Amino acid sequence: IGVAAAGHELSTRPFQLVTGRVWKGTAFGGYKSRSDVPKLVDQHLAGELPIDHFITHTFKGVGETNKAIDALHSGDCLRAVVHYE
């Protein structure tokens, strides 16, 4: 289904569940941070997992962190990256 925007709810008609559909909730697609994320990083660094096309906004420095958060909350941003130097 996806994720509802902050403060919004998802709804369905009961018939959807009666006909065999199932709703399951997961955080981060069901990935386990400790074991799965390092594998994804290794795949990306090896060139096996292209992710750059998912990054829609980039920001530079600590001073732009709040701008990155605002972009994510706006709904126009798929992924934001903040470069800290």
Side-chain angles (χ1 to χ4, degrees), residues 9-73:
E9 294 181 3
L10 297 173
S11 64
T12 189
R13 292 181 290 278
F15 183 75
Q16 297 294 324
L17 298 174
V18 172
T19 58
R21 291 191 170 91
V22 177
W23 280 25
K24 290 184 180 182
T26 65
F28 307 110
Y31 278 90
K32 305 285 186 269
S33 299
R34 191 171 294 231
S35 60
D36 293 339
V37 171
K39 294 174 191 173
L40 294 173
V41 170
D42 289 341
Q43 288 176 337
H44 175 66
L45 293 175
E48 300 167 358
L49 182 64
I51 61 171
D52 294 336
H53 61 280
F54 292 113
I55 299 170
T56 58
H57 294 70
T58 57
F59 300 90
K60 291 187 179 181
V62 173
E64 294 197 353
T65 301
N66 287 336
K67 289 181 184 178
I69 293 169
D70 290 341
L72 289 165
H73 282 260

